[in-house]
Structures are given as structure tokens and as C-alpha cells.
Amino acid sequence: MEALEIFQRYELKYLIPYDVYEQVTGQLQKRMKFDPYGDENGCYNIVSLYFDSKDDKIYNETRNNLNFRQKLRLRVYGESDLNSTSFLEIKQKYNRVVNKRRTLITLSDAYDFFYNNAKNEANYNVSNRQILGEVNAFSSLYELEPSVVVSYDRQALAGIDEPDLRVTFDFNLMTRNDNLSIEDGPNGNLFVDQNMVIMEVKVSNSVPYWLSRMLSDYECERKSVSKFCTCIDMANGLIKPYQPINPQVASAAGSGF
């Protein structure tokens, strides 16, 4: 995956039916190309470990839609083990602007950093030591602990003439809190109906007119979808897991579309 460590952009979320996804992605390919870091269809799997405090500070900031809020997560792409490279990331949002700061670290070192409380930053080989220091300060201030695992399959496209434009589609969204080892891969309870797809439009400035028009034509309405909050709600028994409804959709998403 890309090793970009610091970036800022707008992220617009939509929840769309699977049949609308099929039509939209067909149109997008006229102006966009599949993410080269995925397979031939721009697809890859993401597994993330999110952190929170015992009194749910991060959850409450997000759920209450504070103007400034932030999250900490540890993420791997595709199959991984303890020796794999992971991304330790702070995601901040101020109004509608998303800022991400992340550093590369082996998964075993990341676990040592958090689980053994061995937060001497000099002991770890990371791509950006300053960001590791920010992670240390953030996690210490909020007394963050591993909380919940979120996994999904993603298909990503990047603009051909607009290189800052990305559109992603997330499928098979699952969560668990009984096994927080992200190297064990994507499994858990579904928290989004498999007939629905989370689409995100990511852009540095404004959404191109052609894309705004297309989303309007397909009646794609903006919808705030917090993967983290939904997963915490499910872990706390506030919502029930979704039962598979259409196995063909799950099979198509899981096999690279």
C-alpha cells in the first residue's frame, strides 16, 4: 500500500444499494482508473484495530459530532502476520476537513508499544518518529486501549486527469471485539447490510462538476456513516448483527468483483 504519511482532504460518505454501485462504478471507469495498490480491479482488504478510553471519550466525540474529533487506529492491508508492516494512524477531523498522520511500524512492535506499555519511542524502527511521538502523546492523554476490530473489502479508483480525486467502495463490513489480533484477518459480525455499499469521495478541494452531476443523476445522497461508532454500538449490544441476505453479493465483493 501507499506509504504517504501526512495528508489532508475532504471525505464525503454515501450509503448506496449494490445495484447503484454497479452502475456508478461503470461510469467512473470512463474518467478514473483502478488503484494500482489493489488487484486488477483495484480491490484489497483492510483490517483495523481502533482504540478508545474506558469511558468512551473517542466514541462520544464522534457520536456527538464535535467540530474537532480524532481517532487512533492500527491498520494492515491484505494477509499479514506479526512481521508485516502496519500503519499506526491518527485521523483528525475539523468541520469537514480530514487530516491523517501515520507511520509505518511492524505489527509486533506496534503490539509491544501498546500492550506492554513499552512506550520508549527510541526502541522502535518507524518511518516517522515525530508521528510516533504524537501517537504516544494522544494515547497517553486519553488513556487509550485497544477496543474493536473493523474489517472490510475495498475497491478504490483514482482520477486520471484529477490525481487528487479518489472514490472508494466498501463491502462486507465486519466487526469483532472478542479477538483483537488484526493479523487473524477479516471476520466477525456484519454491521452493514450486504446489499448496501459505503461509497466515499475523497478530494483535496472541491468535487468535480461531472462527478457531482453523476451522483445526483443516480440519486446518491450524502449519509454520515461512522464505522467506529456503529461497531462500538454492536459490541455494546445496542444494535444486532446483520444476517447475510444475498450470498451472491458477498461472493462477488469477496472475490474482487
Side-chain angles (χ1 to χ4, degrees):
M1 300 305 299
E2 58 184 313
L4 188 65
E5 294 176 339
I6 301 172
F7 50 99
Q8 186 178 82
R9 63 195 181 194
Y10 294 94
E11 295 184 352
L12 311 177
K13 292 185 179 181
Y14 304 78
L15 187 63
I16 61 176
Y18 190 86
D19 62 332
V20 173
Y21 148 73
E22 292 181 302
Q23 299 173 67
V24 167
T25 192
Q27 294 297 318
L28 288 177
Q29 290 175 55
K30 298 176 181 179
R31 293 176 176 262
M32 305 185 75
K33 58 185 177 181
F34 289 125
D35 190 333
Y37 293 97
D39 63 14
E40 65 275 11
N41 294 309
C43 303
Y44 48 87
N45 179 258
I46 298 174
V47 186
S48 301
L49 173 63
Y50 282 82
F51 296 76
D52 205 346
S53 62
K54 290 184 182 299
D55 56 353
D56 301 322
K57 288 187 178 73
I58 304 301
Y59 171 87
N60 289 322
E61 286 183 1
T62 306
R63 180 61 77 199
N64 292 327
N65 201 30
L66 298 188
N67 283 337
F68 176 78
R69 51 195 185 272
Q70 54 188 338
K71 298 184 183 72
L72 177 63
R73 64 192 180 197
L74 178 65
R75 169 170 287 185
V76 294
Y77 293 85
E79 294 185 4
S80 62
D81 56 37
L82 291 177
N83 296 316
S84 297
T85 297
S86 64
F87 292 81
L88 188 54
E89 179 178 280
I90 296 175
K91 181 178 181 179
Q92 301 170 324
K93 189 171 186 179
Y94 180 69
N95 289 331
R96 295 190 301 118
V97 180
V98 174
N99 176 61
K100 293 184 182 179
R101 302 173 64 80
R102 65 185 184 182
T103 183
L104 277 66
I105 184 172
T106 64
L107 190 53
S108 60
D109 278 353
Y111 284 158
D112 186 66
F113 184 80
F114 288 106
Y115 286 105
N116 297 327
N117 201 31
K119 296 185 177 180
N120 185 342
E121 299 162 20
N123 291 341
Y124 301 100
N125 181 22
V126 296
S127 61
N128 191 313
R129 197 161 299 281
Q130 177 179 335
I131 294 177
L132 182 64
E134 294 172 8
V135 169
N136 195 356
F138 177 30
S139 61
S140 298
L141 177 64
Y142 277 66
E143 298 182 336
L144 297 179
E145 300 177 348
S147 177
V148 67
V149 170
V150 180
S151 66
Y152 44 90
D153 296 317
R154 168 167 287 181
Q155 183 178 44
L157 298 96
I160 297 173
D161 297 323
E162 296 135 325
D164 71 320
L165 173 65
R166 282 175 59 83
V167 178
T168 62
F169 300 93
D170 295 339
F171 309 80
N172 294 329
L173 294 105
M174 295 184 290
T175 183
R176 64 179 188 264
N177 66 340
D178 57 340
N179 173 11
L180 300 181
S181 299
I182 56 177
E183 70 275 14
D184 287 347
N187 59 72
N189 293 315
L190 290 167
F191 64 92
V192 171
D193 187 333
Q194 283 182 302
N195 289 309
M196 303 298 290
V197 178
I198 293 180
M199 176 177 67
E200 294 186 41
V201 176
K202 308 176 184 187
V203 65
S204 299
N205 295 300
S206 59
V207 177
Y209 174 76
W210 66 265
L211 180 54
S212 295
R213 180 63 182 270
M214 188 186 73
L215 295 176
S216 176
D217 289 344
Y218 285 99
E219 299 181 346
C220 298
E221 295 185 8
R222 292 269 306 279
K223 184 176 179 62
S224 177
V225 182
S226 171
K227 298 182 179 79
F228 171 70
C229 284
T230 304
C231 292
I232 294 296
D233 287 342
M234 185 169 289
N236 291 332
L238 299 178
I239 59 175
K240 295 181 179 180
Y242 282 92
Q243 298 299 319
I245 297 175
N246 187 345
Q248 291 182 342
V249 171
S251 175
S255 63
F257 312 86

